[in-house]
Amino acid sequence: MTASTQTIEYEYAPGHFRASEPNIHQPELLDEGQMILNMGPQHPSTHGVLRFEVVTDGEIIVDVVPHLGYLHRCFEKHAQSLPFNQTIPFVDRLDYLSAMTSEHAWVMGVERMLGIQGDLPKRTEYIRVLVAELNRIAAHFVAIGTYALDIGAYTPFLWLMRDREHIQRLLEWVSGARMLYNYMWIGGLFYDLPVGFEERCREFTKYLIPKLNELQQLVIDNEIFVKRTANVGVLPLPVAINYGCTGPVLRGSGLRYDLRRVDGYSVYPELEFDIPIGTGQVGTVGDCWDRNNVRVLECRESLRIIEQCLDQLTGTHKRTRDYDPQALVPKKIRPKAMDFYARAESAKGELGFFFRTDGKSDVPVRAKCRSCSYHNLSVISEISRGAMLADLVAIIGSIDVVMGEVDR
C-alpha cells in the first residue's frame, strides 16, 4: 500500500477528548437552572486575550474560571537563551503599559548580583525613579480610563488618554520609543536626559495637578460610579494576602505595603511620599471603588516624587560635562554562581525576577518572572462568586491585569 492510499485508524478514547476540552465545568454536571457562559477571549472588557468560563444560576455567578495562554509570550525561555542585557527589550513587553518599572526591577537584580548597585551615580538613580514614576502615572491612567469605559463612562477615557499622551511624548523624548523603551541599562542608562527635559517635565506636573482634581470629581466621586463600584467585588485583606495579591489590589484592601518603602531600593528612601490604602470611604474596604481610588491617590504621590526628583536633577545632581550614564555598564555580564531574587514595585504590584547563574556565562541558567498580574488575576474567582453577572466586568476591570505579564 502506498503512502498516498494508506489510512490510519485512531482508537476513540473519549476520556482523552474530555480531558482536553476547553472547559473545567461539564454541562451534564450542573445543577438545574445553571448554565456555562464564555466571556472572551476578545480584548474589550477582559483587558487582553483572556477567557472566563462563567457558571451562572440566573443572574448570580456560581463560579468563574480564568483561562490563560492565548498570548504565548515565552519570556522566560527568551531570558534563558540571551545575555542579561539583551533581555531588557523583552522585559519591556511584560507589562507593556509600565515598561520602565519592569526594566527597573530587572537591571537592579543584575546589578546586585554583580555587586555594583551602590556605585551608580545619584543622577542615574534619580533619572530612573523619575521616568519610572512618569510611567506609573501613565499606566494608572490606562487602568482608570478603561475601567470607566467598561462600566459605561466614555468621557474619562478620552480625558485620561489625552493626559497620558503628554507622558508618552516625554518618555519618547528620553528614549526614542513611546512604550517599549530599553532605556535603563545594567549599570546605567541608555543616555542622559535631553536638554530642557527637566523644565518641560516641571511644566507637565503643574498642568496635571488640576487635571487630577477634575478626575476625582468626574469619576471617583461621581454618584453613578460610586453606586456601580461600592460594595462590589469586595476583597478581604486575609484573602488578598493568601492569594499573593500586591500593588493597588492589596493596598485597596487596607494594607499599607509598598516595596518602594518596604525594600527602600534606589533613592526612594530619600523621597517623601505616602502610601494610599482603601478605607471603605463609600462602601466596604477592598471593594472596586477602593482599588480605583488608591490608583488616583497614587498618581498624586507619584507627582510628589517626580517634583522631588526634578529638584535634585536641577540642583545637587544637575547635569555636568563629566557625567556619563554608561560609565558603569559592563561589557560582559558574568555574575557569580548563585540563586538570586530581585523585586520592585511596578504599577500593578510586586514584579520579581529569580535568577540562577553558573558563574561562567552571561546567560542565566534559569530566569523566572514573578508576575503581579498573574497573582492578582487568580483572586477574581474568589471575589466574584455570589455577585451579579453584570458586576463581573466591573470586578475584572478593577484588578487591572495585563496579559503580556500573565502569559509570560
Side-chain angles (χ1 to χ4, degrees), residues 28-322:
E28 61 270 16
L29 301 179
L30 298 180
D31 294 338
E32 185 177 355
Q34 294 182 352
M35 59 181 174
I36 300 175
L37 299 177
N38 273 300
M39 181 179 172
Q42 78 279 10
H43 193 286
S45 297
T46 58
H47 295 259
V49 277
L50 169 65
R51 182 172 74 91
F52 290 96
E53 175 188 346
V54 186
V55 179
T56 67
D57 185 355
E59 294 188 47
I60 304 299
I61 296 173
V62 176
D63 195 17
V64 178
V65 181
H67 288 266
L68 319 175
Y70 290 89
L71 203 55
H72 299 296
R73 283 289 331 288
C74 299
F75 165 79
E76 291 165 359
K77 296 302 290 184
H78 283 302
Q80 289 166 202
S81 59
L82 291 171
F84 289 99
N85 57 328
Q86 293 183 23
T87 303
I88 296 174
F90 295 96
V91 174
D92 284 332
R93 288 159 173 81
L94 289 170
D95 180 1
Y96 40 79
L97 298 175
S98 182
M100 287 294 190
T101 55
S102 303
E103 289 181 14
H104 206 179
W106 180 270
V107 300
M108 280 197 310
V110 180
E111 287 164 358
R112 288 173 183 170
M113 288 194 292
L114 295 173
I116 62 172
Q117 75 276 11
D119 301 333
L120 270 64
K122 275 298 180 71
R123 181 170 176 84
T124 297
E125 295 283 14
Y126 277 109
I127 291 174
R128 284 182 175 183
V129 171
L130 172 66
V131 295
E133 294 304 317
L134 282 170
N135 210 182
R136 190 185 309 276
I137 295 174
H140 282 343
F141 278 5
V142 174
I144 301 163
T146 55
Y147 187 67
L149 199 62
D150 285 344
I151 59 178
Y154 194 66
T155 301
F157 175 76
L158 298 178
W159 286 17
L160 288 167
M161 291 302 102
R162 173 201 64 195
D163 295 336
R164 175 176 176 265
E165 186 64 25
H166 295 302
I167 300 176
Q168 298 296 91
R169 289 174 180 172
L170 286 171
L171 295 179
E172 184 179 13
W173 192 17
V174 169
S175 65
R178 280 176 56 84
M179 288 182 65
L180 309 171
Y181 306 107
N182 192 16
Y183 181 64
M184 296 188 197
W185 285 10
I186 296 164
L189 301 167
F190 162 65
Y191 206 70
D192 195 2
L193 296 176
V195 175
F197 182 88
E198 295 93 329
E199 292 74 16
R200 186 78 61 84
C201 193
R202 201 178 290 278
E203 292 174 6
F204 170 71
T205 61
K206 293 178 181 178
Y207 160 84
L208 193 59
I209 291 173
K211 299 301 179 184
L212 289 177
N213 295 334
E214 290 181 358
L215 174 63
Q216 189 79 30
Q217 296 172 356
L218 181 70
V219 180
I220 303 300
D221 295 337
N222 185 291
E223 184 178 353
I224 299 174
F225 184 84
V226 170
K227 288 183 177 179
R228 192 73 179 83
T229 57
N231 300 310
V232 174
V234 176
L235 175 58
L237 182 56
V239 176
I241 293 172
N242 290 339
Y243 274 81
C245 296
T246 52
V249 175
L250 176 64
R251 292 191 286 274
S253 295
L255 183 61
R256 210 177 298 274
Y257 183 88
D258 189 309
L259 295 180
R260 294 174 293 176
R261 279 280 183 253
V262 173
D263 288 356
Y265 59 88
S266 191
V267 290
Y268 281 111
E270 303 173 20
L271 303 171
E272 293 182 5
F273 61 98
D274 297 324
I275 309 300
I277 59 172
T279 59
Q281 181 178 337
V282 297
T284 306
V285 175
D287 58 16
C288 292
W289 189 90
D290 267 343
R291 288 190 281 276
N292 279 275
N293 187 49
V294 164
R295 292 187 182 99
V296 174
L297 296 176
E298 283 188 6
C299 290
R300 296 182 183 275
E301 298 306 317
S302 291
L303 274 182
R304 289 179 61 191
I305 294 173
I306 290 168
E307 289 174 342
Q308 293 172 71
C309 289
L310 291 173
D311 291 339
Q312 293 290 335
L313 293 171
T314 56
T316 307
H317 305 291
K318 63 183 179 182
R319 84 177 64 239
T320 57
R321 289 186 177 273
D322 59 351

Side-chain angles (χ1 to χ4, degrees), residues 1-9:
M1 183 180 292
T2 63
S4 59
T5 60
Q6 183 180 8
T7 59
I8 301 176
E9 293 184 2

